[in-house]
Amino acid sequence: MASYVAKVARACEEATETKELQLEDCDLTSIPHAIYHITREVQLKSANFSNNKLKNVPGRLCTAFCSVSQLNFSGNKISTLPVEFGELQELLTLDLSGNKLTN
């Protein structure tokens, strides 16, 4: 678990420079609150949450990531998306493959 925490912290730090948040394969069951602090200072271009254990995407994430053009949530356990996804005006690529989406 400590290695995952360190990976999240490192990814958040790197995102302030690269504007790309890489949180794939971190064993996440929820979105870490630390990422919301990043988006106050940095407008992210992309975020990768693939191959975790996420069951949902909080609406707050969509509001905080309003400038993101690429989102990757592949390989999680997401079944629905929040209505706030409609607020992602800059989003060009969304990968939800390997999830359990329902109508």
Side-chain angles (χ1 to χ4, degrees):
M1 172 123 177
S3 64
Y4 292 124
V5 172
K7 185 173 182 177
V8 169
R10 190 171 43 254
C12 289
E13 185 177 314
E14 290 172 0
T16 61
E17 294 180 27
T18 64
K19 297 184 177 165
E20 297 176 356
L21 184 61
Q22 300 296 327
L23 290 175
E24 70 277 4
D25 301 308
C26 288
D27 207 32
L28 298 176
T29 57
S30 63
I31 303 295
H33 291 285
I35 66 160
Y36 299 112
H37 297 289
I38 292 170
T39 57
R40 290 184 196 161
E41 301 171 15
V42 177
Q43 289 193 334
L44 296 174
K45 297 183 300 184
S46 67
N48 185 349
F49 296 97
S50 63
N51 302 317
N52 283 291
K53 297 176 182 175
L54 299 172
K55 292 183 180 176
N56 63 35
V57 178
R60 178 181 179 194
L61 181 125
C62 299
T63 305
F65 283 33
C66 61
S67 63
V68 169
S69 62
Q70 297 179 359
L71 274 176
N72 186 344
F73 284 103
S74 64
N76 282 284
K77 299 176 181 183
I78 299 167
S79 59
T80 61
L81 296 176
V83 295
E84 290 88 351
F85 252 85
E87 297 173 17
L88 295 171
Q89 302 283 323
E90 304 295 320
L91 187 62
L92 299 174
T93 306
L94 174 62
D95 188 346
L96 293 167
S97 60
N99 281 284
K100 300 179 181 193
L101 293 171
T102 59
N103 291 343

